[in-house]
Amino acid sequence: MTQFSESKDKQLKEDASTYLVQRWEPSERQKPLVMVKGEGLYMWDAAGHRYLDFMSQLYNVHIGMGNRVPIEAAKKQLDELAYASPSYFSEPQVRLAKKLAQITPGDLCQTFFGNSGTEANEVAIKLAQLYREASKIIGFWDAYHGSTYAMVSVGGSARNRQFRGLSIFEEFKHIPSPYCYRCPYKKTYPECELICADFLRYTIEKEGDNTVAAFMAEPICSWAGQVVPPEGYWKRIREICDEKGVLLIFDEVMTGFARTGKMFACEHWGVVPDVETYAKGITCGYVPLGACIINKKMADHFDQKGFPHSYTYSGHAVSCATALAVIDLYEKEKLADRAAKMGAYMMDELRGMMERVPIIGDVRGLGLFMGVELVKDRETKESLFPRELSAEDKKDPDKNPMQYFTGKIKENGLIVGSSWNTSILRMMPALVISKEQIDEGLQVLEQTLTETMIKFSL
Ligand SMILES: Cc1ncc(COP(=O)(O)O)c(C=O)c1O
């Protein structure tokens, strides 16, 4: 039984501040929570406060906490064979690679395993550069693909790129994502004729077709604002990549594994990438794992040439055994269908909430991959995030409505994701969520939005 106490909670928070490197933008006013227990969609901090999680922790615990299936699979594998050197293969690693080849679209067929989404993406661009004998990678502005140097460079997120002294690979280029709500070209779909997709062709030509190895993107770009692309977008991008001989890499670290209502998000548009990457939902956080899968023509190439890359924990036996058990759960419990159904219900409820809460500017998403964009004014679409404030004032909940909202909603017992320097909320609960839990969470959301409107006279 987990023991809760206010004094234990206080001590853990103090020790967390003293002994752990503080990530991202530390704020005196918003001490991190220290969680000690998880069950389904609920988490408890050390003081015993309960939180309903609409963020699946870091968008990865698709099956909720405390599920015995991955726990037993990991325990069994630890007993049998905890680890095999990457010079050999373990049985779960081989079985998982075969399973991925079976469930992924098109001719994606050979996998390299690492420990995280970042590593999977590093592998993807290295494979692409070696295959194409070209170094440039094009990605979306405002995207996030991980925090290592190469990923900071390919992801166009200003949050990662703002620091002086950080090494950025300048030859990685960016194009705007298909963010229709705030189209950078000031166009409207479908009259726009997908000018944003055509900008990829323009960029490749300006850079030189033979210098570009790949275009890398999430099928639904999360950091840029839960950007669901308009119909025809990915088909056009695929055509441009084929025309130019540039590889298409999909980062499905967040969108993959039933989250959007399909096993992989690219299936919504019938577009098959040359390379695809996974992490998060592949093991649902029970153990770490990342994977990068390539198509047949690349597999044939690397069968001949080999791939100069390895980690001590590539294809860790316990992680692969856990992933097999988790994938089995997705299939047996038809979790992609469930995500589609629950997502449709939640979307309807959120659209209904728009009638009562004027600061909701837009609701968008697919399955249980959803975004809510907050605005001061629906007509002008002025963002609720006050860009004009100084960095210090942005951290102040009395000056920044997003900071106030983020703290308040936690106090009210709901965890939702927010996107740095924007007023976009990510609503991505575990796929096993019930209608009652959706109602419970949305009630807290509406209450907290109302409290925010009252505080800032919106
Ligand atoms: C789309 C996407 N790619 C890559 C990553 C990096 O994955 P990891 O944190 O497992 O290294 C993330 C993490 O949030 C992500 O959302």
Side-chain angles (χ1 to χ4, degrees):
M1 276 286 283
T2 313
Q3 299 293 321
F4 302 114
S5 88
E6 294 282 350
S7 59
K8 175 174 152 187
D9 190 57
K10 187 165 173 284
Q11 186 65 53
L12 280 168
K13 280 184 176 145
E14 267 173 37
D15 289 351
S17 304
T18 311
Y19 298 112
L20 289 167
V21 174
Q22 302 303 304
R23 305 165 335 122
W24 302 116
E25 299 83 20
S27 160
E28 266 309 299
R29 295 166 203 256
Q30 300 241 341
K31 287 279 174 229
L33 300 174
V34 182
M35 297 298 192
V36 293
K37 178 178 151 103
E39 217 175 271
L41 271 87
Y42 295 99
M43 301 287 287
W44 285 260
D45 67 16
H49 301 124
R50 193 187 81 160
Y51 302 87
L52 174 58
D53 182 7
F54 264 27
M55 190 177 154
S56 304
Q57 291 304 290
L58 203 55
Y59 318 106
N60 56 338
V61 189
H62 297 13
I63 57 171
M65 309 294 290
N67 189 310
R68 296 309 304 170
V69 172
I71 295 172
E72 295 308 328
K75 278 182 170 174
K76 184 164 174 281
Q77 190 58 44
L78 274 168
D79 283 339
E80 265 172 33
L81 172 74
Y83 171 75
S85 151
S87 315
Y88 328 115
F89 298 110
S90 67
E91 184 186 341
Q93 181 181 6
V94 176
R95 286 182 42 226
L96 180 59
K98 185 171 176 183
K99 183 75 188 171
L100 288 176
Q102 288 163 348
I103 63 172
T104 49
D107 65 345
L108 295 169
C109 61
Q110 275 191 3
T111 299
F112 186 97
F113 291 107
N115 304 289
S116 64
T118 306
E119 285 182 4
N121 286 338
E122 291 267 345
V123 164
I125 63 167
K126 196 165 167 183
L127 283 162
Q129 289 173 325
L130 288 168
Y131 180 80
R132 286 271 295 147
E133 295 184 4
S135 59
K136 290 178 190 167
I137 306 287
I138 302 175
F140 283 144
W141 283 117
D142 304 314
Y144 180 80
H145 296 289
S147 292
T148 52
Y149 289 115
M151 287 309 116
V152 167
S153 305
V154 72
S157 160
R159 185 192 204 184
N160 269 354
R161 302 164 66 87
Q162 65 184 317
F163 304 101
R164 284 178 62 189
L166 260 197
S167 182
I168 306 286
F169 303 161
E170 294 298 342
E171 58 177 11
F172 287 10
K173 306 294 170 183
H174 301 91
I175 63 169
S177 70
Y179 186 178
C180 296
Y181 185 69
R182 296 183 190 278
C183 174
Y185 303 96
K186 309 264 182 283
K187 301 267 186 196
T188 310
Y189 180 82
E191 291 76 40
C192 63
E193 295 182 356
L194 296 172
I195 184 177
C196 54
D198 287 339
F199 193 60
L200 177 63
R201 180 188 288 104
Y202 177 87
T203 307
I204 294 171
E205 283 171 0
K206 287 289 171 201
E207 293 297 328
D209 294 10
N210 291 330
T211 70
V212 181
F215 175 58
M216 178 171 188
E218 288 179 274
I220 306 174
C221 190
S222 181
W223 272 66
Q226 306 291 80
V227 176
V228 183
E231 213 38 58
Y233 179 83
W234 283 122
K235 191 166 164 288
R236 178 83 58 89
I237 293 283
R238 179 71 270 185
E239 284 162 6
I240 295 167
C241 288
D242 288 344
E243 183 189 317
K244 297 292 178 192
V246 166
L247 298 170
L248 176 60
I249 303 174
F250 272 153
D251 171 345
E252 291 235 28
V253 167
M254 212 192 270
T255 53
F257 292 97
R259 164 63 63 192
T260 67
K262 303 265 185 205
M263 195 57 145
F264 303 103
C266 65
E267 294 169 34
H268 287 285
W269 300 281
V271 168
V272 181
D274 301 288
V275 182
E276 190 152 272
T277 59
Y278 314 115
K280 296 195 189 279
I282 196 170
T283 48
C284 286
Y286 285 77
V287 284
L289 184 69
C292 171
I293 192 164
I294 54 176
N295 67 8
K296 179 79 171 68
K297 68 182 181 198
M298 292 181 73
D300 288 346
H301 173 90
F302 288 104
D303 277 348
Q304 298 295 317
K305 304 262 181 191
F307 177 44
H309 198 93
S310 182
Y311 308 115
T312 302
Y313 296 128
S314 291
H316 195 286
V318 177
S319 303
C320 291
T322 309
L324 281 162
V326 168
I327 294 172
D328 203 38
L329 265 181
Y330 288 127
E331 292 181 333
K332 282 201 179 120
E333 298 189 6
K334 297 192 171 35
L335 289 181
D337 293 347
R338 192 182 169 88
K341 194 169 138 211
M342 290 298 159
Y345 174 73
M346 192 160 154
M347 182 71 87
D348 273 358
E349 293 297 305
L350 281 165
R351 296 228 159 108
M353 198 186 293
M354 282 181 88
E355 286 165 26
R356 302 183 296 277
V357 183
I359 59 170
I360 301 180
D362 192 33
V363 180
R364 50 185 175 261
L366 267 179
L368 283 167
F369 190 112
M370 252 173 270
V372 172
E373 181 147 358
L374 303 177
V375 289
K376 281 192 182 140
D377 181 322
R378 248 185 227 160
E379 282 298 303
T380 63
K381 297 187 182 174
E382 187 188 343
S383 170
L384 194 65
F385 184 87
R387 286 175 207 285
E388 68 286 357
L389 291 186
S390 69
E392 251 339 280
D393 283 352
K394 278 179 186 159
K395 292 181 190 169
D396 186 343
D398 290 326
K399 294 188 176 143
N400 177 352
M402 286 307 294
Q403 194 73 10
Y404 173 83
F405 171 86
T406 315
K408 200 72 190 163
I409 199 156
K410 248 186 236 164
E411 242 175 76
N412 291 342
L414 184 71
I415 299 175
V416 297
S418 55
S419 204
W420 178 79
N421 251 358
T422 71
S423 51
I424 296 157
L425 309 177
R426 294 194 188 103
M427 313 290 284
M428 295 170 63
L431 316 184
V432 293
I433 193 167
S434 65
K435 273 192 176 171
E436 292 70 32
Q437 286 167 328
I438 292 178
D439 294 343
E440 180 188 336
L442 292 185
Q443 202 180 353
V444 179
L445 175 72
E446 185 164 343
Q447 177 198 329
T448 314
L449 287 171
T450 309
E451 285 170 4
T452 308
M453 288 193 303
I454 293 169
K455 165 136 180 111
F456 290 89
S457 311
L458 293 162

